[in-house]
Amino acid sequence: MNANTNKNQVAIVTGASSGMGLGMTQALLEGGYRVVATARTISDSKDLKPSANLVLVDGDIGKKETAIKVADAAIKHFDRIDLLVNNAGIYMPKPFMEYTPEDFEKMIQTNVGGYFFVTQQVVAQMRKQKSGHVVGIATVLVDQPLAGAPISLPVITKSTVPAFSRALAMEFVADGIRFNSISPGIVDTPMHANDDHEFLKKLSPAGRLVKISEIVDALLYLQASPMVNGENIRVDGGAHAGAKW
Ligand SMILES: NC(=O)c1ccc[n+]([C@@H]2O[C@H](COP(=O)([O-])OP(=O)(O)OC[C@H]3O[C@@H](n4cnc5c(N)ncnc54)[C@H](OP(=O)(O)O)[C@@H]3O)[C@@H](O)[C@H]2O)c1
């Protein structure tokens, strides 16, 4: 599947400087989308350069002022917003008893605030259009925490993403706005650059990491499926089923 049927549509991708966000941004641009890509210092990106179809906005997505800047950029440059991908996120594994108030605030601000504030700004525009789609990136660890992996705070914060999608899907169904999420298994991105990939592969029932292109495929499927709403798609080689994970 490709995004070629979506010419002239406008997307916002958060966390677009790296990994899945970068891959999704590049796929949407290739498919003819106009894109606002954001991350803390995305203007330094070696992979993305501003163009007629690409606007880069720097800022911490957990802050309301960044959310306002991002939505304003889309409306100013492209007049509308068809798709918001709430992808920005951080992963901080640590034994539960060792998390500090600063860790808690940072994780909540990025993984929960990073969805909340920009979605508010974008929905204001989508309501005027009477159309739009918001896709969040969760994690399959929410369904199947892993024995031996101390990940309570990532799980607590990311468990909000499918919940956001279901709640908002119902709140805005009459406005023609859809909300879905994707729960990846372990994806081969810079987030795992310093991890032992052979060990990570063994955690997957499929015996390999998820490719960024497989997350892109799920995004394009959701975007092309008007009757899929409030859904969470797991792209994890079956990890959520509990075979090996
Ligand atoms: N990789 C995996 O195995 C995996 C599995 C399940 C879910 N996920 C989730 O998938 C999403 C993408 O992960 P990835 O593996 O592609 O990670 P990544 O390569 O580390 O990229 C994370 C992106 O988020 C941005 N970001 C982080 N904190 C931010 C903040 N406060 N404000 C704005 N942008 C911020 C980063 O940009 P800057 O640092 O430049 O700001 C970067 O663009 C994350 O939400 C992650 O939790 C990943």
Side-chain angles (χ1 to χ4, degrees):
M1 193 189 297
N2 63 46
N4 285 330
T5 52
N6 295 302
K7 288 223 180 303
N8 299 321
Q9 291 206 40
V10 177
I12 294 172
V13 181
T14 74
S17 62
S18 173
M20 285 180 239
L22 176 60
M24 291 189 282
T25 299
Q26 290 169 327
L28 291 167
L29 287 168
E30 279 163 23
Y33 278 74
R34 292 167 292 166
V35 180
V36 175
T38 182
R40 282 170 293 193
T41 52
I42 200 162
S43 52
D44 295 338
S45 172
K46 292 186 185 65
D47 304 295
L48 297 173
K49 297 293 168 209
S51 70
N53 292 330
L54 177 64
V55 174
L56 305 180
V57 178
D58 289 338
D60 183 337
I61 200 64
K63 298 197 165 153
K64 185 173 173 178
E65 57 259 34
T66 306
I68 293 171
K69 264 200 317 186
V70 168
D72 283 356
I75 295 159
K76 179 175 157 215
H77 288 273
F78 303 134
D79 282 330
R80 57 182 295 113
I81 305 167
D82 299 287
L83 172 65
L84 166 64
V85 185
N86 282 323
N87 164 75
I90 50 172
Y91 180 65
M92 195 192 291
K94 219 184 219 195
F96 178 63
M97 302 304 281
E98 293 176 17
Y99 281 116
T100 64
E102 292 73 29
D103 295 337
F104 179 78
E105 269 168 37
K106 190 171 181 201
M107 289 287 287
I108 294 281
Q109 187 180 7
T110 308
N111 290 358
V112 183
Y115 187 114
F116 188 93
F117 294 116
V118 72
T119 301
Q120 275 186 327
Q121 298 303 315
V122 165
V123 163
Q125 172 63 24
M126 288 178 172
R127 285 177 99 173
K128 292 183 198 157
Q129 299 166 188
K130 285 276 170 202
S131 70
H133 185 202
V134 178
V135 177
I137 306 296
T139 166
V140 80
L141 289 167
V142 166
D143 304 292
Q144 284 281 358
L146 193 54
I151 48 162
S152 56
L153 205 39
V155 166
I156 289 162
T157 55
K158 284 292 187 179
S159 67
T160 63
V161 173
F164 265 131
S165 296
R166 287 193 304 275
L168 296 177
M170 291 301 95
E171 187 167 342
F172 294 105
V173 66
D175 292 292
I177 309 171
R178 293 186 297 128
F179 296 81
N180 290 298
S181 56
I182 298 169
S183 284
I186 302 171
V187 187
D188 188 3
T189 76
M191 189 173 267
H192 296 297
N194 299 319
D195 296 335
D196 177 350
H197 280 214
E198 291 313 307
F199 171 74
L200 294 179
K201 284 179 197 169
K202 287 187 193 134
L203 297 175
S204 168
R208 68 167 175 84
L209 304 189
V210 181
K211 298 175 194 161
I212 291 173
S213 62
E214 290 164 325
I215 304 300
V216 170
D217 287 344
L219 173 71
L220 297 181
Y221 161 74
L222 289 170
Q223 179 65 353
S225 306
M227 283 301 277
V228 179
N229 193 14
E231 183 58 277
N232 179 48
I233 297 190
R234 298 174 181 95
V235 183
D236 65 353
H240 69 279
K244 196 165 178 188
W245 183 257

